[in-house]
Amino acid sequence: MSAAPVIQVQGLTKAFRTYKKEPGFGGALRGLFHRRYEQTLAVKDVNFNVAPGELVGFLGPNGAGKTTTLKMLAGLLYPTSGSARVLDFVPWERADGYRRQFALLLGQKNQLWWDLPARESLELNAKIYGIPRAAFERTVTEMTELLAVKDKLNVMVRELSLGERMKMELIAALLHRPKVLFLDEPTIGLDVVSQKTVREFLREYNAREKTTILLTSHYMADIQELCRRVIIIDHGTIFFDGLLSDIVDRFADFKLITIQLSGAADRPAESLAKYGELVEQTPRSLKFKVKRDRQIAVCKALLDDFPVTDIDIEEVPIEEVIRQIFAR
Ligand SMILES: Nc1ncnc2c1ncn2[C@@H]1O[C@H](COP(=O)(O)OP(=O)(O)OP(=O)(O)O)[C@@H](O)[C@H]1O
Ligand SMILES: [Mg+2]
């Protein structure tokens, strides 16, 4: 992390002003004279840095401010206040030099030309960036192969399946070999096989090209397999920036304790409640979800009360912890 950051964000803030319509005809009439505006603070005083080649997960519940942040970093939106530098450019100044070095993929939005075969749509993108023919052919051949869409190049974009289109979008975003990549839900709505293909592609691409990537996804599998570091945002504010592996330490309130028994666990369920929440039971084992600060006491009690042959303490899976964080 000693290299100068590629992405530097300081005090970044975005307020949207939305016109609030009053219900009914009378409301519409009044609205003509007294426009009522509401302010949404989508992003509030956000700070972070990303080092060259890092692949950082940007997490948060719906409406947290992820897309708004990425759009500012891609120069599509002006911030209300604060500053950002990406590759030493101020994104919203929209310098040509910047445009050639980053890409933004919005999984929720189609960026290719609908009415053209995929190949031609990609060709148009290549023309816009002035990519030489040979380089274009090489990239398309290689990436369509890796993403298993080689036989779809002649299909009209509008006729591609969601997953096929997303893979083409990804290729379009990478044609000019950007140094920085903003990926906003690149696997949304894809089947598990396509998700895995895209994930593996991204992992290899990041490792090989050292592209700096900021990725949002609601699928924890994406985050767990791709990102060592995550930034979590909620209501426009960052409340965690660190290693994914530290989230469990910081936020998990529970541990899972499993005991194996030498005899049958023939206790009535009510009498088991005092140890914790019983989450799994087999004829020879019991598994409890136990408050972190009670784990030692509960282990001791279980060892005293049961013919225990083995005991195992596990962390709650990250996916579950994130769910708990978002539910708060
Ligand atoms: N153009 C806009 N005008 C007004 N409000 C907006 C606009 N764009 C976003 N917002 C609001 O800003 C907030 C943040 O939205 P944003 O799209 O950044 O969330 P997100 O984290 O990407 O959520 P999701 O996971 O659902 O994609 C939301 O409350 C949203 O309604
Ligand atoms: Mg979004």
Side-chain angles (χ1 to χ4, degrees):
M1 293 282 272
S2 54
V6 166
I7 303 174
Q8 285 176 284
V9 177
Q10 265 167 0
L12 200 62
T13 299
K14 178 71 189 180
F16 288 110
R17 205 160 78 129
T18 44
Y19 168 49
K20 195 180 167 203
K21 197 165 172 281
E22 287 181 48
F25 178 71
L29 208 57
R30 270 193 303 282
L32 282 176
F33 303 103
H34 302 284
R35 294 248 148 176
R36 286 158 55 94
Y37 288 100
E38 263 193 357
Q39 185 151 291
T40 310
L41 253 183
V43 175
K44 291 180 227 174
D45 192 24
V46 157
N47 302 289
F48 62 86
N49 287 342
V50 181
E54 259 193 298
L55 200 176
V56 178
F58 197 29
L59 304 185
N62 291 135
K66 303 178 297 293
T67 301
T68 305
T69 303
L70 293 189
K71 282 184 173 171
M72 287 191 279
L73 295 179
L76 293 184
L77 283 176
Y78 283 93
T80 306
S81 60
S83 66
R85 286 197 156 260
V86 184
L87 296 163
D88 269 327
F89 291 95
V90 175
W92 42 90
E93 286 176 358
R94 301 189 184 178
D96 196 48
Y98 182 47
R99 191 170 61 84
R100 294 176 168 281
Q101 295 191 62
F102 83 95
L104 166 70
L105 184 149
L106 298 166
Q108 306 257 32
K109 219 168 154 181
N110 179 56
Q111 290 166 290
L112 292 168
W113 278 267
W114 269 123
D115 299 314
L116 292 177
R119 163 179 283 281
E120 283 174 39
S121 194
L122 291 173
E123 269 170 17
L124 267 176
N125 275 286
K127 287 224 172 72
I128 289 170
Y129 286 101
I131 296 160
R133 187 86 213 173
F136 169 77
E137 293 294 344
R138 204 172 339 111
T139 308
V140 169
T141 304
E142 182 199 320
M143 291 188 183
T144 48
E145 218 154 82
L146 284 172
L147 289 166
V149 282
K150 206 170 183 171
D151 56 338
K152 300 293 172 188
L153 278 168
N154 295 321
V155 177
M156 300 283 260
V157 170
R158 64 161 73 252
E159 285 158 9
L160 292 173
S161 77
L162 181 63
E164 292 158 0
R165 182 179 62 73
M166 201 77 89
K167 290 170 180 175
M168 294 297 182
E169 298 267 2
L170 193 54
I171 295 170
L174 296 174
L175 279 178
H176 62 294
R177 304 266 160 184
K179 292 203 180 93
V180 175
L181 195 52
F182 303 113
L183 298 174
D184 195 14
E185 305 187 47
T187 56
I188 189 165
L190 306 199
D191 69 72
V192 285
V193 177
S194 294
Q195 276 189 21
K196 195 154 176 276
T197 309
V198 169
R199 230 159 30 221
E200 272 164 17
F201 174 86
L202 288 175
R203 198 204 345 254
E204 274 175 33
Y205 189 84
N206 168 254
R208 197 179 63 212
E209 305 285 328
K210 307 281 179 275
T211 315
T212 306
I213 303 178
L214 198 52
L215 163 90
T216 84
S217 175
H218 288 288
Y219 302 112
M220 277 313 290
D222 287 347
I223 304 298
Q224 268 173 293
E225 284 183 33
L226 292 174
C227 312
R228 239 169 62 84
R229 173 182 165 202
V230 295
I231 297 173
I232 305 182
I233 185 169
D234 192 15
H235 292 101
T237 308
I238 289 179
F239 75 89
F240 179 83
D241 178 351
L243 296 178
L244 182 65
S245 56
D246 286 348
I247 287 184
V248 170
D249 289 342
R250 279 268 302 270
F251 297 105
D253 299 331
F254 295 94
K255 288 231 177 185
L256 298 170
I257 302 177
T258 310
I259 49 170
Q260 305 293 334
L261 307 168
S262 60
D266 50 1
R267 301 277 190 91
E270 314 87 73
S271 72
L272 297 174
K274 66 176 178 189
Y275 303 105
E277 182 193 334
L278 185 66
V279 289
E280 217 177 275
Q281 181 168 21
T282 70
R284 290 275 172 105
S285 77
L286 296 168
K287 185 173 189 172
F288 296 95
K289 192 170 154 188
V290 177
K291 274 264 185 209
R292 217 160 232 273
D293 54 4
R294 287 190 61 228
Q295 59 177 321
I296 302 295
V298 169
C299 283
K300 199 165 170 298
L302 289 170
L303 289 169
D304 285 345
D305 301 350
F306 292 88
V308 176
T309 58
D310 195 5
I311 188 160
D312 185 39
I313 308 177
E314 289 167 273
E315 295 287 359
V316 175
I318 284 185
E319 174 142 21
E320 169 79 24
V321 179
I322 300 272
R323 209 173 13 244
Q324 282 172 21
I325 295 173
F326 289 174
R328 275 174 201 174

